[in-house]
Amino acid sequence: MKSLNAFKIALAAAIVAVLAKAFFGSQEMIEPIVYWNKCFLKDQGECEAKKTQEFSVTPAPLSIPQEQLDDLKMRLSMRKPINGGILSDDPWENGMNPLYLEEILSYWENSYDWRREEGYINDNLSPHKTVIDGLDIFYLHVKPPAVSSTTSHEKSIPMLLLHGWPGSVMEFRYFIQSMHKLNPNYEFITPSLPGYG
């Protein structure tokens, strides 16, 4: 357990160091992280190429192909009905409430508007991608509303937000909005941690 916690701390420190250098320091070649000794790509040649590639940060706007959204909608429409009844007075006592699960599935099938969410993410949360020791890291970089890309970051207050499991960077969208209302100088970096949502 201690080695797992040490690994999590080391990983978080590495991500903080690399992202801080990317946003607030010079953009130079980043050496592979010594303790990150595993490559998660099947093609080892691609792994080695990524480890030695020049450090870069690139915008990564979301653009899910319509075929994938159509496939998801078709799968949701073809799901089997949930036949499990509620076994006691408390519908959550024996696991997921089947009536609530049906509500969620129906919402995803009939009401959820992915294109609206995708547009919001791309327009307001500035998705980016970088490579750390051969591993693609997706993150959101939300600059202060008053700071443009051509002005100095001297007045911005950097804040790193890390999600847990289960979770994703989307947990922070309303928090970021609220914090910008309180103090418009916050600059948020929210990486999607490797192996997490």
Side-chain angles (χ1 to χ4, degrees):
M1 189 65 164
K2 284 185 180 182
S3 65
L4 181 60
N5 287 336
F7 174 76
K8 286 180 182 179
I9 291 169
L11 177 60
I15 289 173
V16 169
V18 170
L19 291 176
K21 182 144 183 104
F23 301 119
F24 307 110
S26 64
Q27 293 199 0
E28 59 189 46
M29 180 82 163
I30 300 293
E31 292 297 318
I33 300 168
V34 178
Y35 55 80
W36 192 289
N37 58 5
K38 245 186 187 173
C39 181
F40 294 96
L41 299 173
K42 290 181 183 176
D43 179 0
Q44 290 300 311
E46 185 181 350
C47 234
E48 292 307 312
K50 279 192 169 204
K51 282 182 183 179
T52 58
Q53 82 182 139
E54 189 172 319
F55 176 75
S56 67
V57 171
T58 57
L62 300 181
S63 179
I64 304 299
Q66 187 60 43
E67 307 86 58
Q68 288 183 10
L69 298 176
D70 294 341
D71 179 62
L72 175 60
K73 193 165 194 122
M74 183 215 34
R75 289 172 188 239
L76 286 167
S77 70
M78 295 176 60
R79 72 183 182 274
K80 294 180 180 180
I82 299 171
N83 295 327
I86 297 174
L87 303 175
S88 70
D89 292 337
D90 179 4
W92 294 92
E93 184 177 331
N94 297 304
M96 179 73 176
N97 178 338
L99 301 174
Y100 184 65
L101 178 58
E102 187 57 42
E103 277 182 48
I104 292 171
L105 294 172
S106 178
Y107 170 76
W108 274 89
E109 179 186 354
N110 302 308
S111 303
Y112 187 77
D113 183 355
W114 170 252
R115 292 293 178 217
R116 181 175 54 91
E117 292 298 315
E118 186 177 73
Y120 178 85
I121 294 165
N122 290 337
D123 295 342
N124 299 293
L125 300 178
S126 189
H128 284 75
K129 191 186 291 188
T130 190
V131 177
I132 299 175
D133 197 29
L135 188 62
D136 289 329
I137 303 291
F138 173 85
Y139 64 95
L140 304 176
H141 181 199
V142 184
K143 295 181 181 181
V147 176
S148 72
S149 60
T150 58
T151 60
S152 170
H153 288 276
E154 289 176 16
K155 293 187 178 184
S156 68
I157 303 166
M159 185 176 290
L160 180 69
L161 301 175
L162 300 174
H163 65 83
W165 182 91
S168 79
V169 294
M170 292 309 297
E171 294 173 13
F172 302 117
R173 69 185 283 181
Y174 300 113
F175 174 76
I176 290 170
Q177 288 174 352
S178 298
M179 291 300 287
H180 274 160
K181 287 177 185 173
L182 292 174
N183 183 343
N185 292 326
Y186 283 115
E187 181 167 3
F188 296 95
I189 300 166
T190 61
S192 184
L193 299 180
Y196 286 70

